[in-house]
Amino acid sequence: MMPEAAVALATFVIVLLVLRRWTREEPEVDLDHEDAGAARRFIEAQVEEHIEALAERYLEAGGPESGGDEVPGAFAQDIEHFIATYVTRDSADTLGLGGAVRCAVTLERERIYALVLARIQVHLTARRAA
Protein backbone atom coordinates (compact mmCIF):
# COMPACT_ATOMS: atom_id res chain seq x y z
CA MET A 1 0.00 0.00 0.00
CA MET A 2 1.31 3.44 -0.87
CA PRO A 3 1.99 5.84 2.03
CA GLU A 4 -0.52 8.39 0.69
CA ALA A 5 -3.23 5.74 0.57
CA ALA A 6 -2.44 4.59 4.10
CA VAL A 7 -2.67 8.15 5.42
CA ALA A 8 -5.95 8.70 3.59
CA LEU A 9 -7.37 5.43 4.91
CA ALA A 10 -6.27 6.20 8.48
CA THR A 11 -7.78 9.69 8.24
CA PHE A 12 -11.04 8.25 6.91
CA VAL A 13 -11.25 5.72 9.75
CA ILE A 14 -10.56 8.38 12.38
CA VAL A 15 -13.18 10.74 10.95
CA LEU A 16 -15.67 7.89 10.74
CA LEU A 17 -15.08 6.97 14.41
CA VAL A 18 -15.41 10.59 15.53
CA LEU A 19 -18.65 11.05 13.59
CA ARG A 20 -20.02 7.82 14.96
CA ARG A 21 -19.28 8.95 18.50
CA TRP A 22 -20.86 12.38 17.96
CA THR A 23 -23.99 10.99 16.37
CA ARG A 24 -24.38 8.11 18.79
CA GLU A 25 -27.69 8.34 20.56
CA GLU A 26 -27.23 8.78 24.27
CA PRO A 27 -29.64 6.97 26.55
CA GLU A 28 -32.31 9.30 27.83
CA VAL A 29 -31.71 10.48 31.38
CA ASP A 30 -34.74 9.62 33.47
CA LEU A 31 -34.86 10.02 37.22
CA ASP A 32 -38.15 8.19 37.49
CA HIS A 33 -36.57 4.77 37.43
CA GLU A 34 -36.66 2.43 40.40
CA ASP A 35 -33.46 3.70 42.03
CA ALA A 36 -34.56 7.36 42.12
CA GLY A 37 -36.07 7.08 45.59
CA ALA A 38 -33.01 5.28 46.93
CA ALA A 39 -30.76 7.95 45.38
CA ARG A 40 -32.75 10.72 47.05
CA ARG A 41 -32.58 8.92 50.40
CA PHE A 42 -28.82 8.50 49.97
CA ILE A 43 -28.44 12.24 49.31
CA GLU A 44 -30.59 13.11 52.32
CA ALA A 45 -28.52 10.75 54.51
CA GLN A 46 -25.31 12.44 53.36
CA VAL A 47 -26.76 15.86 54.23
CA GLU A 48 -27.75 14.60 57.68
CA GLU A 49 -24.33 13.06 58.23
CA HIS A 50 -22.53 16.32 57.41
CA ILE A 51 -25.05 18.89 58.68
CA GLU A 52 -22.83 20.21 61.47
CA ALA A 53 -19.96 21.03 59.10
CA LEU A 54 -22.37 22.48 56.53
CA ALA A 55 -23.99 24.70 59.18
CA GLU A 56 -20.58 25.96 60.32
CA ARG A 57 -19.56 26.80 56.75
CA TYR A 58 -22.92 28.51 56.24
CA LEU A 59 -22.32 30.77 59.22
CA GLU A 60 -18.72 31.43 58.19
CA ALA A 61 -19.96 32.46 54.73
CA GLY A 62 -22.16 35.11 56.32
CA GLY A 63 -25.47 33.31 56.59
CA PRO A 64 -27.81 34.48 59.36
CA GLU A 65 -27.88 32.51 62.62
CA SER A 66 -31.55 31.78 62.06
CA GLY A 67 -30.89 30.21 58.65
CA GLY A 68 -32.77 31.25 55.58
CA ASP A 69 -33.57 30.58 51.96
CA GLU A 70 -30.77 32.71 50.52
CA VAL A 71 -27.43 31.13 49.69
CA PRO A 72 -24.51 33.33 50.75
CA GLY A 73 -22.17 33.66 47.76
CA ALA A 74 -19.24 31.73 49.20
CA PHE A 75 -21.52 29.01 50.56
CA ALA A 76 -22.62 27.95 47.07
CA GLN A 77 -19.07 26.74 46.50
CA ASP A 78 -19.24 24.80 49.76
CA ILE A 79 -22.42 23.08 48.62
CA GLU A 80 -20.78 22.18 45.31
CA HIS A 81 -17.77 20.82 47.19
CA PHE A 82 -20.09 18.80 49.44
CA ILE A 83 -21.87 17.35 46.39
CA ALA A 84 -18.62 16.46 44.65
CA THR A 85 -16.95 15.05 47.75
CA TYR A 86 -19.68 13.30 49.71
CA VAL A 87 -22.73 12.84 47.52
CA THR A 88 -21.14 11.53 44.34
CA ARG A 89 -18.36 9.62 46.04
CA ASP A 90 -17.63 5.93 45.62
CA SER A 91 -19.99 4.79 48.39
CA ALA A 92 -22.94 5.47 46.08
CA ASP A 93 -21.33 3.16 43.53
CA THR A 94 -20.76 0.42 46.09
CA LEU A 95 -24.43 0.60 47.00
CA GLY A 96 -25.31 0.28 43.32
CA LEU A 97 -26.71 3.81 43.22
CA GLY A 98 -23.91 5.62 41.40
CA GLY A 99 -25.84 6.27 38.20
CA ALA A 100 -29.06 7.21 39.97
CA VAL A 101 -27.23 9.57 42.34
CA ARG A 102 -25.36 11.25 39.48
CA CYS A 103 -28.66 11.62 37.63
CA ALA A 104 -30.35 13.13 40.70
CA VAL A 105 -27.44 15.50 41.26
CA THR A 106 -27.64 16.63 37.64
CA LEU A 107 -31.41 16.98 37.33
CA GLU A 108 -32.29 18.06 40.86
CA ARG A 109 -29.46 20.45 41.77
CA GLU A 110 -31.89 23.13 43.01
CA ARG A 111 -33.66 20.56 45.17
CA ILE A 112 -30.35 19.59 46.78
CA TYR A 113 -29.54 23.23 47.50
CA ALA A 114 -33.02 23.69 49.03
CA LEU A 115 -32.59 20.52 51.08
CA VAL A 116 -29.22 21.67 52.44
CA LEU A 117 -30.59 25.11 53.34
CA ALA A 118 -33.71 23.67 54.99
CA ARG A 119 -31.68 21.21 57.06
CA ILE A 120 -29.27 23.98 58.08
CA GLN A 121 -32.20 26.12 59.22
CA VAL A 122 -33.62 23.27 61.31
CA HIS A 123 -30.18 22.50 62.73
CA LEU A 124 -29.46 26.12 63.66
CA THR A 125 -32.92 26.53 65.20
CA ALA A 126 -32.47 23.38 67.29
CA ARG A 127 -28.99 24.49 68.33
CA ARG A 128 -30.29 27.92 69.45
CA ALA A 129 -33.13 26.32 71.38
CA ALA A 130 -30.78 24.01 73.27
Side-chain angles (χ1 to χ4, degrees):
M1 183 178 262
M2 299 182 81
E4 296 85 18
V7 170
L9 181 61
T11 303
F12 174 75
V13 169
I14 291 171
V15 169
L16 184 64
L17 291 174
V18 168
L19 287 174
R20 182 173 176 216
R21 181 168 177 99
W22 281 347
T23 60
R24 183 177 62 198
E25 192 171 311
E26 295 293 323
E28 187 174 318
V29 178
D30 181 18
L31 193 56
D32 291 331
H33 57 77
E34 61 191 46
D35 291 335
R40 289 182 186 113
R41 287 188 297 279
F42 175 81
I43 292 168
E44 290 168 4
Q46 292 303 310
V47 171
E48 287 301 319
E49 185 177 327
H50 298 92
I51 193 64
E52 183 66 37
L54 287 167
E56 289 303 317
R57 286 297 305 140
Y58 176 80
L59 293 173
E60 289 172 11
E65 295 246 354
S66 61
D69 295 335
E70 295 297 318
V71 179
F75 187 63
Q77 292 176 347
D78 292 323
I79 293 176
E80 290 298 327
H81 179 265
F82 165 75
I83 290 170
T85 305
Y86 299 107
V87 175
T88 57
R89 67 181 178 186
D90 293 337
S91 63
D93 287 331
T94 59
L95 295 172
L97 296 174
V101 168
R102 285 187 292 279
C103 186
V105 164
T106 302
L107 297 177
E108 298 183 348
R109 193 64 133 225
E110 290 179 25
R111 182 186 162 282
I112 294 172
Y113 271 69
L115 172 67
V116 168
L117 291 173
R119 290 302 305 136
I120 286 173
Q121 187 171 12
V122 168
H123 180 76
L124 292 175
T125 302
R127 192 164 78 176
R128 270 196 343 240

Coordinates of all heavy atoms in Angstrom, one line a residue, residues 31 40 43 47 71 76-85 87-88 101-117:
L31 N -35.0 10.2 35.8 CA -34.9 10.0 37.2 C -36.0 9.3 37.8 O -36.1 9.0 39.0 CB -34.7 11.4 37.9 CG -34.2 11.3 39.4 CD1 -32.9 10.5 39.5 CD2 -34.1 12.7 39.9
R40 N -32.3 9.6 46.2 CA -32.8 10.7 47.1 C -32.5 10.5 48.5 O -32.1 11.3 49.3 CB -34.2 11.1 46.8 CG -34.4 11.6 45.4 CD -35.9 12.0 45.2 NE -36.1 12.5 43.8 CZ -36.8 11.8 43.0 NH1 -37.4 10.7 43.3 NH2 -37.0 12.3 41.7
I43 N -28.8 10.8 49.3 CA -28.4 12.2 49.3 C -28.9 12.9 50.6 O -28.1 13.6 51.3 CB -29.0 13.0 48.1 CG1 -28.3 12.5 46.8 CG2 -28.8 14.5 48.3 CD1 -29.0 13.0 45.5
V47 N -26.5 14.5 53.7 CA -26.8 15.9 54.2 C -26.8 15.8 55.7 O -26.2 16.5 56.5 CB -28.0 16.5 53.6 CG1 -28.4 17.8 54.4 CG2 -27.8 16.8 52.1
V71 N -28.7 31.8 49.6 CA -27.4 31.1 49.7 C -26.4 32.2 49.7 O -26.2 32.9 48.7 CB -27.2 30.2 48.5 CG1 -25.8 29.6 48.5 CG2 -28.3 29.1 48.4
A76 N -22.3 28.7 48.3 CA -22.6 27.9 47.1 C -21.5 27.0 46.7 O -21.6 25.9 46.3 CB -23.0 28.9 45.9
Q77 N -20.2 27.6 46.8 CA -19.1 26.7 46.5 C -18.9 25.6 47.5 O -18.5 24.5 47.2 CB -17.8 27.6 46.5 CG -17.7 28.6 45.4 CD -16.5 29.5 45.5 OE1 -15.9 29.5 46.5 NE2 -16.2 30.2 44.4
D78 N -19.3 25.9 48.8 CA -19.2 24.8 49.8 C -20.2 23.7 49.5 O -20.0 22.5 49.7 CB -19.5 25.4 51.2 CG -18.4 26.3 51.6 OD1 -17.2 26.0 51.3 OD2 -18.7 27.3 52.3
I79 N -21.4 24.1 49.0 CA -22.4 23.1 48.6 C -21.9 22.3 47.4 O -22.0 21.0 47.4 CB -23.8 23.7 48.3 CG1 -24.4 24.3 49.6 CG2 -24.7 22.7 47.7 CD1 -25.7 25.1 49.3
E80 N -21.3 22.9 46.5 CA -20.8 22.2 45.3 C -19.7 21.2 45.7 O -19.6 20.1 45.3 CB -20.3 23.1 44.2 CG -21.4 23.9 43.5 CD -22.3 23.0 42.8 OE1 -21.9 21.9 42.3 OE2 -23.5 23.3 42.7
H81 N -18.8 21.7 46.7 CA -17.8 20.8 47.2 C -18.4 19.6 47.9 O -17.9 18.5 47.8 CB -16.8 21.6 48.1 CG -15.8 20.8 48.7 ND1 -15.9 20.2 49.9 CD2 -14.5 20.4 48.2 CE1 -14.8 19.5 50.2 NE2 -13.9 19.7 49.2
F82 N -19.4 19.9 48.7 CA -20.1 18.8 49.4 C -20.6 17.8 48.5 O -20.5 16.6 48.6 CB -21.2 19.4 50.3 CG -22.2 18.4 50.8 CD1 -21.8 17.5 51.8 CD2 -23.4 18.3 50.2 CE1 -22.8 16.6 52.3 CE2 -24.4 17.4 50.7 CZ -24.0 16.5 51.7
I83 N -21.3 18.3 47.4 CA -21.9 17.4 46.4 C -20.8 16.5 45.7 O -20.9 15.3 45.6 CB -22.7 18.1 45.3 CG1 -24.0 18.7 46.0 CG2 -23.0 17.3 44.1 CD1 -24.7 19.7 45.1
A84 N -19.7 17.2 45.3 CA -18.6 16.5 44.7 C -17.9 15.5 45.6 O -17.5 14.4 45.2 CB -17.6 17.5 44.1
T85 N -17.7 15.9 46.8 CA -17.0 15.0 47.8 C -17.8 13.9 48.4 O -17.3 12.8 48.5 CB -16.3 15.9 48.8 OG1 -15.6 17.0 48.2 CG2 -15.4 15.1 49.7
V87 N -21.5 13.4 48.1 CA -22.7 12.8 47.5 C -22.4 11.9 46.3 O -23.0 10.9 46.2 CB -23.7 14.0 47.1 CG1 -24.9 13.4 46.3 CG2 -24.2 14.8 48.3
T88 N -21.5 12.3 45.5 CA -21.1 11.5 44.3 C -19.9 10.7 44.5 O -19.3 10.2 43.6 CB -21.0 12.4 43.1 OG1 -19.9 13.4 43.4 CG2 -22.2 13.1 42.7
V101 N -27.7 8.4 41.6 CA -27.2 9.6 42.3 C -26.7 10.7 41.4 O -27.0 11.8 41.5 CB -26.2 9.2 43.4 CG1 -25.5 10.4 44.0 CG2 -26.8 8.4 44.5
R102 N -25.9 10.3 40.4 CA -25.4 11.3 39.5 C -26.5 11.9 38.7 O -26.5 13.1 38.4 CB -24.3 10.6 38.5 CG -23.0 10.4 39.2 CD -21.9 9.9 38.3 NE -22.2 8.6 37.7 CZ -21.9 7.4 38.4 NH1 -21.3 7.5 39.6 NH2 -22.1 6.3 37.9
C103 N -27.5 11.1 38.3 CA -28.7 11.6 37.6 C -29.4 12.6 38.5 O -29.8 13.7 38.1 CB -29.5 10.5 37.2 SG -30.9 10.9 36.2
A104 N -29.6 12.2 39.8 CA -30.3 13.1 40.7 C -29.6 14.4 40.9 O -30.2 15.5 40.9 CB -30.6 12.4 42.0
V105 N -28.3 14.3 41.1 CA -27.4 15.5 41.3 C -27.5 16.4 40.0 O -27.6 17.6 40.2 CB -26.0 15.1 41.6 CG1 -25.0 16.3 41.4 CG2 -25.9 14.5 43.0
T106 N -27.6 15.8 38.9 CA -27.6 16.6 37.6 C -29.0 17.3 37.5 O -29.1 18.5 37.2 CB -27.3 15.7 36.4 OG1 -26.0 15.2 36.6 CG2 -27.4 16.5 35.1
L107 N -30.1 16.5 37.6 CA -31.4 17.0 37.3 C -32.1 17.7 38.5 O -33.0 18.5 38.3 CB -32.3 15.8 36.9 CG -31.9 15.1 35.7 CD1 -32.8 13.9 35.4 CD2 -31.9 16.0 34.5
E108 N -31.6 17.5 39.7 CA -32.3 18.1 40.9 C -31.3 18.9 41.7 O -31.4 18.9 42.9 CB -32.9 17.0 41.7 CG -34.0 16.2 41.0 CD -34.6 15.1 41.9 OE1 -34.1 14.8 43.0 OE2 -35.6 14.6 41.5
R109 N -30.5 19.6 41.1 CA -29.5 20.4 41.8 C -30.1 21.5 42.7 O -29.7 21.6 43.8 CB -28.6 21.1 40.7 CG -27.3 21.7 41.3 CD -26.4 20.7 41.8 NE -25.0 20.9 41.4 CZ -24.3 19.9 41.0 NH1 -24.8 18.7 40.9 NH2 -23.1 20.1 40.6
E110 N -31.2 22.1 42.2 CA -31.9 23.1 43.0 C -32.5 22.5 44.2 O -32.5 23.1 45.3 CB -33.0 23.8 42.2 CG -32.4 24.8 41.1 CD -33.5 25.4 40.3 OE1 -34.6 25.6 40.8 OE2 -33.2 25.8 39.2
R111 N -33.1 21.3 44.1 CA -33.7 20.6 45.2 C -32.6 20.2 46.2 O -32.9 20.3 47.4 CB -34.3 19.3 44.7 CG -35.0 18.5 45.7 CD -35.5 17.1 45.2 NE -35.8 16.2 46.3 CZ -34.9 15.5 47.0 NH1 -33.6 15.7 46.7 NH2 -35.3 14.7 47.9
I112 N -31.4 19.9 45.8 CA -30.4 19.6 46.8 C -30.0 20.9 47.5 O -29.8 20.8 48.8 CB -29.1 19.0 46.1 CG1 -29.5 17.6 45.5 CG2 -28.0 18.8 47.0 CD1 -28.5 16.9 44.6
Y113 N -29.8 22.0 46.8 CA -29.5 23.2 47.5 C -30.6 23.5 48.5 O -30.3 23.9 49.7 CB -29.4 24.4 46.5 CG -28.1 24.6 45.9 CD1 -27.5 23.6 45.1 CD2 -27.3 25.7 46.2 CE1 -26.2 23.8 44.5 CE2 -26.1 25.9 45.7 CZ -25.5 25.0 44.8 OH -24.3 25.2 44.3
A114 N -31.9 23.4 48.1 CA -33.0 23.7 49.0 C -33.0 22.7 50.2 O -33.3 23.2 51.4 CB -34.3 23.6 48.3
L115 N -32.7 21.5 50.0 CA -32.6 20.5 51.1 C -31.5 20.9 52.1 O -31.7 20.9 53.3 CB -32.3 19.1 50.5 CG -32.0 18.0 51.5 CD1 -33.2 17.7 52.4 CD2 -31.5 16.8 50.8
V116 N -30.3 21.3 51.6 CA -29.2 21.7 52.4 C -29.6 22.9 53.3 O -29.4 22.9 54.5 CB -27.9 21.9 51.6 CG1 -26.9 22.6 52.5 CG2 -27.4 20.6 51.0
L117 N -30.2 23.9 52.6 CA -30.6 25.1 53.3 C -31.7 24.8 54.4 O -31.6 25.4 55.5 CB -31.0 26.2 52.4 CG -29.9 26.8 51.5 CD1 -30.5 27.7 50.4 CD2 -28.9 27.5 52.3

